[in-house]
């Protein structure tokens, strides 16, 4: 007989189904739309699954879901995110109506949103909010004054494009404490590779970037000749900083990214910059030590400050301020920012509507105030309970796999099992919501709200330095459609937004839900033991707890996956950079193997039957594949090849199942078909 889901789950999710196709207008939603986690209409049965599971499972979806003009891609995750945004829009419109019954949190999110939506006021303000800061930059008397001013500006704008990035992080060598950290930054393009590669596309991008910088200076009132000269200064400085920055693949080596330093040592490393003044202005106390992730970058920054003239450094600072704040200014700045960063770099055809931007900014700046409203309305307790059960089953499956591993010595295996036991799970939303009572939000001051919110978060982060780690804090807001594993906290994070249909669907049988959501849980758990996660112990310390032979055995198995994925084409002649995507590729495969085991355990005593013309096993794999249905613009694919640690969606599906004999059995595949490897070629780590 067919699988039945619990009546309790069906009852609490009934409201999700009420918002159907009638609620597709571009307006706020009062209820969330419903899409099943396995949608037969999204499939293309004319494709042989054994040749291309992704096309078989997603062909219909790709045909029926063209990329919206304001997006660089359109995916199942992206579509759910967009639906959540419509729903949050409804929440914010309600919260924005002045009434005596509003809670303080509702007042803040409602007034922030209302101020953001007041386009007339934003247009009238133009760039006036920058006038005082631009004047102060021009008035800087000498290079030593850069430190204090950069500290103040970064704390108010959140800019990582001004010289370097700074923040608070868990100490990699003592995971119980929070320390200050300095990382490379100082560039306006998405990655250092745009500055250092010599192919025609990279050269064109740099030229267009310089033109963009000049146009933005022009909007501030500079004459064209001066604006282009200033843009050349900006590009020269950024190229130098980019060349001293580690590549994204190099940054995956966590040992290369940890260099404990004292303030006195930092001043000696980069003497041209006044570090004490910087930290004082930023409200940070970098004691007794902090992490300098890329010392070579700071040496180059010091050389730039020493070599560049004060007027040129002021030009660079004016640009970083403008670049960090452009989207909060009047239409001319917003349009030019869009034209370069989204239209040219990502291929987006139209800018997002104002409401969508405002929802995004509220979710960024008041995440737990908005998230609490979302959870109360949209996230049933029964879903959290089911997700917790799945997580426990995935952890039990990982325990079995670790115990059965034949290439790991017993001492290493023991530590791996201890790490597994120490993993904590954050599901749905935090137990205690963040307090925003000290953040002032004014209904008529959008730019001020943004900078005050950024400064509030900067102060909150700075206050952590030197303190014990709060292992209960959440990094993602509850509506976020994403999940992650934290190496140092040794925890898995699954916000409410990623536990809703079509990613998790309580109305359907377990097969597609385990293929999808349990696979996601398994993916994040596998990150604890991927090529980066395995470098951290169960307490979150960067510590080599592997024997030399164990590490060699792991690397030889990981190399099998790298060799496979490095042959996949992303766009044109650009192939997957498997050195960059290795961790995600390992997690994709490990996660689905764990999901299969968990599903087998969950349904062990059930009598399963076919549905929609698919066997239960086939439903598992179609459910797995349909989370990844997507359409992406070539420009975005080209950029992702540089910056995204994930392989393209098609390869994330086909690459995984080609290493799973369970898939071949489910679809009765024959040796030699497109996704079927000879047994000796199958990649396997865990």
């Amino acid at each position: 007989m067919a699988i039945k889901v619990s009546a309790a789950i069906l009852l609490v999710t009934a409201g999700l189904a009420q918002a159907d196709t009638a609620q597709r207008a571009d307006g706020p939603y009062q209820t969330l739309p419903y899409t099943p986690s396995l949608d037969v209409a999204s499939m293309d049965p004319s494709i042989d699954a054994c040749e291309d599971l992704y096309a078989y499972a997603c062909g219909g979806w790709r045909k029926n879901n063209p990329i919206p003009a304001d997006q660089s891609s359109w995916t199942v995750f992206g579509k759910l995110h967009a639906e959540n945004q419509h729903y949050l829009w409804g929440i914010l419109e309600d919260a924005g109506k002045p009434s005596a019954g509003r809670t303080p949190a509702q007042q803040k999110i409602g007034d922030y949103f209302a101020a953001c939506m007041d386009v007339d006021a934003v247009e009238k303000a133009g760039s006036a909010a920058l006038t005082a800061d631009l004047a102060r930059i021009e008035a800087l008397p000498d290079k030593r004054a850069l430190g204090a001013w950069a500290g103040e500006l970064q704390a108010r704008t959140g800019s990582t494009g001004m010289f370097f990035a700074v923040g608070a992080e868990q100490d990699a060598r003592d995971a119980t404490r929070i320390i200050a950290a300095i990382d490379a930054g100082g560039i306006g393009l998405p990655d250092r590779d745009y500055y250092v590669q010599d192919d025609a596309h990279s050269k064109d991008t740099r030229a267009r970037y310089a033109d963009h910088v000049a146009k933005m200076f022009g909007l501030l009132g500079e004459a064209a000749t001066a604006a282009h000269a200033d843009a050349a200064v900006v590009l020269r400085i950024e190229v130098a900083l980019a060349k001293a920055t580690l590549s994204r693949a190099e940054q995956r080596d966590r040992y290369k990214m940890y260099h404990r330093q004292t303030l006195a040592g930092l001043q000696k490393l980069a003497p041209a910059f006044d570090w004490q003044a910087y930290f004082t202005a930023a409200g940070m106390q970098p004691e007794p030590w902090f992490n300098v992730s890329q010392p070579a970058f700071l040496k180059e920054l010091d050389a730039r400050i020493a070599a560049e003239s004060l007027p040129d450094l002021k030009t660079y600072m004016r640009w970083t301020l403008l670049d960090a704040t452009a989207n909060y200014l009047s239409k001319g700045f917003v349009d030019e920012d869009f034209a370069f960063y989204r239209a040219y770099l990502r291929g987006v055809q139209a800018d997002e509507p104002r409401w969508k931007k405002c929802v995004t900014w509220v979710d960024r700046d008041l995440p737990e105030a908005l998230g609490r409203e979302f959870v109360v309305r949209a996230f049933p307790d029964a879903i959290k309970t089911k997700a917790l059960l799945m997580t426990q089953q995935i952890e039990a499956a990982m325990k079995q796999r670790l115990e059965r591993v034949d290439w790991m010595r017993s001492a290493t295996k023991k530590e791996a099992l201890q790490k597994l036991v120490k993993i904590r799970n954050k599901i749905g939303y935090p137990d205690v919501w963040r307090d925003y009572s000290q953040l002032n939000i004014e209904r008529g001051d959008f730019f001020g709200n943004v900078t005050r919110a950024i400064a509030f978060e900067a102060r909150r982060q700075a206050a952590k330095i030197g303190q014990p780690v709060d292992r209960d804090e959440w990094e993602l807001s509850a509506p976020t459609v994403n999940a992650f594993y934290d190496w140092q906290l040794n925890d898995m994070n699954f916000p409410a937004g990623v536990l809703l249909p079509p990613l998790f669907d309580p109305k359907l049988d377990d097969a597609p839900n385990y293929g999808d959501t349990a696979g996601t849980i398994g993916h994040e758990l596998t990150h604890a033991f991927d090529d980066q996660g395995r470098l951290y112990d169960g307490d979150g310390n960067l510590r080599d707890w592997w024997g030399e032979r164990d590490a060699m055995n792991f690397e030889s198995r990981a190399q099998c996956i790298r060799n496979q994925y490095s042959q996949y084409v992303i766009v044109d002649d650009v192939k997957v950079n498997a050195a960059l995507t290795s961790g995600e590729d390992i997690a994709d495969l490990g996660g689905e193997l764990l999901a299969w085991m968990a599903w087998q355990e969950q349904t062990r005593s059930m009598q399963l039957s076919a549905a929609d013309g698919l066997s239960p096993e086939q439903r598992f794999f179609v459910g797995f594949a349909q989370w990844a249905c997507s359409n992406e613009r070539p420009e975005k694919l080209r950029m992702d090849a540089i910056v995204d640690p994930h392989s393209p969606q098609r390869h994330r599906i086909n690459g995984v199942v080609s290493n799973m004999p369970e898939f071949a059995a489910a679809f009765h595949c024959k040796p030699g078909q497109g996704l079927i490897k000879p047994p000796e070629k199958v990649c396997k780590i865990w």
Side-chain angles (χ1 to χ4, degrees):
M1 81 185 205
I3 305 169
K4 294 182 180 178
V5 296
S6 75
I9 292 179
L10 284 176
L11 284 173
V12 295
T13 58
L16 296 174
Q18 295 173 2
D20 217 324
T21 54
Q23 194 179 223
R24 289 298 189 269
D26 194 21
Y29 290 174
Q30 298 305 309
T31 48
L32 282 170
Y34 169 72
T35 304
S37 61
L38 192 158
D39 186 4
V40 176
S42 293
M43 300 172 62
D44 183 353
S46 70
I47 303 294
D48 187 339
C50 301
E51 296 291 340
D52 190 339
L53 174 63
Y54 179 80
Y56 170 78
C58 293
W61 193 97
R62 299 188 73 214
K63 179 180 178 181
N64 296 323
N65 286 274
I67 305 173
D70 66 346
Q71 299 295 311
S72 60
S73 65
W74 198 232
T75 67
V76 169
F77 268 57
K79 189 175 182 180
L80 177 56
H81 170 70
E83 291 169 348
N84 284 356
Q85 282 190 310
H86 277 273
Y87 189 66
L88 294 172
W89 184 8
I91 292 173
L92 289 167
E93 279 206 337
D94 288 344
K97 299 171 183 175
S99 69
R102 288 195 301 175
T103 66
Q106 289 169 339
Q107 173 269 316
K108 291 183 189 300
I109 62 174
D111 287 357
Y112 186 118
F113 184 75
C116 181
M117 290 294 289
D118 189 351
V119 177
D120 290 342
V122 173
E123 281 302 305
K124 184 178 180 180
S127 62
L130 302 184
T131 301
D133 285 342
L134 291 170
R136 285 188 62 182
I137 291 173
E138 282 304 310
L140 290 173
D142 52 46
K143 294 180 183 180
R144 295 298 292 175
L146 294 174
W149 185 230
E152 182 180 336
L153 271 185
Q154 281 190 345
R156 282 195 281 112
T157 65
S159 172
T160 61
M162 186 178 295
F163 295 126
F164 50 83
V166 68
E169 71 178 25
Q170 209 170 341
D171 192 337
R173 296 292 193 181
D174 178 7
T176 67
R177 311 294 293 182
I178 297 293
I179 59 172
I182 300 174
D183 197 5
I187 58 176
L189 286 168
D191 188 80
R192 50 88 68 187
D193 283 7
Y194 284 98
Y195 296 90
V196 301
Q197 292 182 351
D198 260 345
D199 59 280
H201 181 76
S202 297
K203 290 178 179 178
D204 181 61
T205 297
R206 289 194 290 273
R208 288 175 180 258
Y209 176 60
D211 187 55
H212 163 65
V213 175
K215 288 178 180 178
M216 293 289 272
F217 277 137
L219 290 170
L220 283 179
E222 285 193 20
T225 301
H228 281 283
D230 285 347
V233 169
V234 170
L235 186 60
R236 183 183 71 242
I237 293 173
E238 291 188 3
V239 166
L241 295 178
K243 287 181 177 179
T245 303
L246 296 175
S247 71
R248 289 188 185 239
E250 289 172 327
Q251 291 178 45
R252 299 190 78 253
D253 184 337
R254 305 315 300 170
Y255 288 99
K256 284 185 179 179
M257 298 294 288
Y258 186 81
H259 306 276
R260 185 180 284 184
Q261 186 61 273
T262 64
L263 184 58
L266 177 62
Q267 195 64 62
K268 185 177 180 180
L269 178 70
F273 193 79
D274 189 342
W275 292 101
Q276 179 63 69
Y278 171 85
F279 284 117
T280 299
M284 302 178 73
Q285 296 299 321
E287 299 292 347
W289 56 73
F290 49 91
N291 180 34
V292 175
S293 64
Q294 300 188 45
F297 171 85
L298 288 187
K299 289 180 180 179
E300 178 57 34
L301 172 64
D302 188 72
R304 285 300 91 215
I305 292 174
E308 301 288 346
S309 68
L310 181 60
D312 283 356
L313 290 170
K314 290 179 180 180
T315 294
Y316 171 78
M317 290 192 77
R318 285 192 294 116
W319 164 244
T320 57
L321 170 64
L322 179 56
D323 191 39
T325 58
N327 274 310
Y328 317 126
L329 305 177
S330 54
K331 189 174 185 298
F333 295 95
V334 173
D335 287 350
E336 175 55 33
D337 190 84
F338 165 79
F340 179 73
Y341 284 112
R342 288 180 58 76
Y344 171 68
L345 284 181
R346 294 171 173 83
V348 180
Q349 297 172 358
D351 202 359
E352 291 182 323
R354 183 72 181 183
W355 71 263
K356 193 177 291 188
K357 294 180 181 182
C358 294
V359 168
T360 299
W361 291 329
V362 177
D363 188 43
R364 179 196 67 189
D365 291 341
L366 292 147
E368 294 194 12
L370 181 58
R372 187 173 190 175
E373 300 294 322
F374 178 83
V375 165
V376 168
R377 292 165 172 79
F379 191 65
D381 288 341
I383 292 182
K384 182 171 182 174
T385 300
K386 179 64 173 179
L388 178 59
L389 172 63
M390 278 185 168
T391 303
Q392 292 167 342
Q393 291 170 332
I394 290 292
E395 290 174 340
M398 188 65 181
K399 181 174 184 290
Q400 290 181 39
R401 297 195 80 89
L402 286 170
E403 289 172 340
R404 295 172 186 172
V405 161
D406 60 2
W407 51 265
M408 182 182 284
R409 67 192 177 102
S410 59
T412 305
K413 187 181 296 187
K414 181 179 178 181
E415 287 230 37
L417 289 166
Q418 289 174 345
K419 179 174 184 177
L420 178 64
V421 169
K422 291 181 178 181
I423 289 178
R424 301 172 78 245
N425 302 307
K426 296 175 180 174
I427 296 175
Y429 51 89
D431 293 330
V432 178
W433 297 97
R434 191 169 300 158
D435 177 15
Y436 294 98
S437 59
Q438 299 304 307
L439 172 58
N440 179 36
I441 298 296
E442 298 179 12
R443 195 176 184 88
D445 185 12
F446 169 58
F447 191 92
N449 290 338
V450 171
T451 54
R452 284 190 294 271
I454 291 173
F456 171 84
E457 179 61 17
R459 290 193 300 271
R460 196 179 73 83
Q461 293 294 331
K464 297 178 183 180
I465 296 171
Q467 300 300 311
V469 171
D470 179 2
R471 294 183 178 270
D472 294 322
E473 182 179 359
W474 277 60
E475 292 186 36
L476 297 181
S477 69
T480 301
V481 186
N482 203 352
F484 75 98
Y485 167 80
D486 190 304
W487 303 312
Q488 289 189 266
L489 290 174
N490 193 25
D491 65 19
M492 296 193 289
N493 298 258
F494 305 102
V498 83
L499 297 172
L500 295 173
L503 301 177
F504 174 72
D505 185 359
K507 297 176 66 180
L508 290 191
D509 53 292
D510 282 321
N513 284 323
Y514 274 75
D516 186 331
T517 295
T520 299
I521 296 169
H523 172 104
E524 301 308 335
L525 179 58
T526 304
H527 274 314
F529 304 96
D530 70 10
D531 60 336
Q532 289 182 289
R534 74 175 189 82
L535 302 176
Y536 294 84
D537 64 22
D539 295 319
N541 293 302
L542 184 61
R543 177 173 68 85
D544 189 359
W545 49 275
W546 288 63
E548 183 177 352
R549 178 162 294 184
D550 298 324
M552 291 174 59
N553 287 336
F554 176 91
E555 282 301 315
S556 68
R557 286 159 174 77
Q559 192 59 44
C560 175
I561 295 175
R562 295 185 192 112
N563 292 342
Q564 173 185 337
Y565 281 78
S566 65
Q567 301 307 308
Y568 292 146
V569 175
I570 298 178
V571 61
D572 300 330
D573 60 346
V574 180
K575 291 185 177 181
V576 170
N577 178 2
L580 175 62
T581 66
S582 177
E584 298 297 336
D585 299 333
I586 291 169
D588 281 341
L589 175 56
E592 210 55 29
L593 288 168
L594 294 173
W596 177 268
M597 291 176 65
W599 177 61
Q600 294 287 299
E601 181 61 31
Q602 170 69 10
T603 59
R604 187 175 303 281
S605 60
M606 297 181 183
Q607 183 179 351
L608 306 181
S609 60
D612 299 320
L614 299 168
S615 71
E617 293 78 11
Q618 291 170 340
R619 290 177 67 78
F620 175 92
F621 284 107
V622 172
F624 160 56
Q626 285 194 337
W627 77 261
C629 298
S630 65
N631 286 305
E632 298 180 89
R633 301 191 193 279
E635 296 89 343
K636 181 179 184 297
L637 288 170
R638 186 176 290 277
M639 185 176 75
D640 284 351
I642 297 174
V643 304
D644 193 348
H646 303 85
S647 294
Q649 306 288 67
R650 176 187 299 274
H651 304 316
R652 295 187 70 180
I653 300 305
N654 289 344
V656 166
V657 297
S658 70
N659 290 304
M660 291 186 68
E662 298 89 348
F663 163 76
F667 285 92
H668 312 291
C669 302
K670 298 178 176 61
Q673 287 193 270
L675 297 181
I676 309 306
K677 290 182 178 181
E680 68 274 10
K681 297 290 186 180
V682 169
C683 298
K684 180 180 178 182
I685 298 181
W686 305 112

